[in-house]
């Protein structure tokens, strides 16, 4: 927030992203990040989301790692209770409702376990970076003599696909990609040594 107040957009965006990598449901960090992007020089690089995509992204962000883990535990406990109900149901009674309940809980449990795994993998292997150089060129190859594909300014959020020596292959929010010098960017998640 102090970086934002001092009009230093790249470090502000970096620390908002670091906060959201730890807790994707942190509403104030998300609002501050969206404001920093909307008022930054790179706002044209971010394509707008459709209504359904924005709804899904909002739900995905609300379910942070802790909430997902708690939801998985609750669904597992309900599944065990329903299996117990099904196993101890007398043979004369209708089994349709218990079987349907077990099936629905199993599908929900598998879905949320998958989402938890994806979210944890994205937390541990976060490949997002923030461009810190005031003007950075994206090249077709990891060589400054190759063709310049794009030019971006500081504060842009990108994703690294590959590192090669002093270069990084990045993908821009609009889908463009190119090689950029490694010292022009800072990673959102710093790996422990």
């Amino acid at each position: 927030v102090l970086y934002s107040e001092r009009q230093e957009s790249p470090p502000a965006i970096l620390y908002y992203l670091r906060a959201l990598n730890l807790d994707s449901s942190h509403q104030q960090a998300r609002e501050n990040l969206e404001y920093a992007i909307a008022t930054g020089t790179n706002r044209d690089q971010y394509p707008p989301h459709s209504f359904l995509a924005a709804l899904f992204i909002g739900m995905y962000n609300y379910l942070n790692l802790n909430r997902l883990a708690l939801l998985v535990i609750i669904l597992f406990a309900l599944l065990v209770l329903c299996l117990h109900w099904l196993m101890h149901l007398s043979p004369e009674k209708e089994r349709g409702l218990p079987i349907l309940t077990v099936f629905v809980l199993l599908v929900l449990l598998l879905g949320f376990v998958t989402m938890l795994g994806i979210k944890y993998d994205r937390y541990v292997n976060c490949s997002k970076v923030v461009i810190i150089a005031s003007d950075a060129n994206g090249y077709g190859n990891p060589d400054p003599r190759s063709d310049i594909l794009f030019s971006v300014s500081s504060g842009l959020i990108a994703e690294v696909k590959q590192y090669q020596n002093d270069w990084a292959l990045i993908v821009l929010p609009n889908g463009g990609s190119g090689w950029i010098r490694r010292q022009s960017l800072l990673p959102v998640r710093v790996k422990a040594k």
Side-chain angles (χ1 to χ4, degrees):
V1 173
L2 292 174
Y3 281 122
S4 290
E5 290 176 358
R6 294 190 324 214
Q7 305 298 318
E8 296 178 36
S9 180
I13 290 173
L14 177 70
Y15 285 108
Y16 293 144
L17 284 171
R18 285 182 177 173
L20 290 169
N21 191 45
L22 292 173
D23 180 7
S24 65
S25 67
H26 195 283
Q27 190 63 30
Q28 188 175 8
R30 181 150 319 276
E31 289 171 359
N32 289 342
L33 175 64
E34 289 171 0
Y35 179 77
I37 289 171
T39 58
T41 57
N42 297 307
R43 63 182 164 269
D44 299 338
Q45 292 282 339
Y46 300 94
H49 295 294
S50 67
F51 173 75
L52 287 177
L55 186 67
F56 177 76
I57 290 169
M59 184 181 74
Y60 180 79
N61 290 333
Y62 176 76
L63 294 171
N64 61 14
L65 285 172
N66 294 336
R67 288 179 180 155
L68 276 171
L70 184 63
L71 195 56
V72 164
I73 291 169
I74 291 170
L75 285 172
F76 182 74
L78 288 174
L79 181 64
V80 168
L81 286 173
C82 285
L83 284 171
H84 184 270
W85 174 35
L86 183 62
M87 288 177 8
H88 294 291
L89 193 64
S90 72
E92 303 89 40
K93 297 215 176 185
E94 177 65 37
R95 293 182 171 267
L97 181 61
I99 290 173
L100 178 64
T101 307
V102 167
F103 178 74
V104 168
L105 286 172
L106 188 62
V107 168
L108 286 173
L109 181 65
L110 290 175
F112 284 114
V113 165
T114 303
M115 191 183 294
L116 179 64
I118 291 169
K119 197 143 192 133
Y120 181 74
D121 181 61
R122 286 186 171 208
Y123 164 71
V124 171
N125 301 314
C126 182
S127 60
K128 287 184 180 179
V129 293
V130 176
I131 308 296
I132 57 167
S134 56
D135 286 310
N137 293 325
Y139 297 94
N141 295 309
D143 181 3
R145 296 178 300 238
S146 63
D147 295 337
I148 296 175
L149 302 177
F150 57 82
S151 185
V152 294
S153 58
S154 62
L156 182 71
I157 302 167
E159 196 157 325
V160 173
K161 291 296 178 190
Q162 174 185 356
Y163 287 108
Q164 185 176 337
N165 298 329
D166 292 335
W167 293 85
L169 177 62
I170 63 167
V171 177
L172 302 175
N174 64 7
S177 65
W179 290 90
I180 192 169
R181 292 204 179 268
R182 204 169 180 164
Q183 70 261 20
S184 300
L185 47 89
L186 281 175
V188 170
R189 187 166 196 279
V190 180
K191 307 269 191 222
K193 293 182 180 183

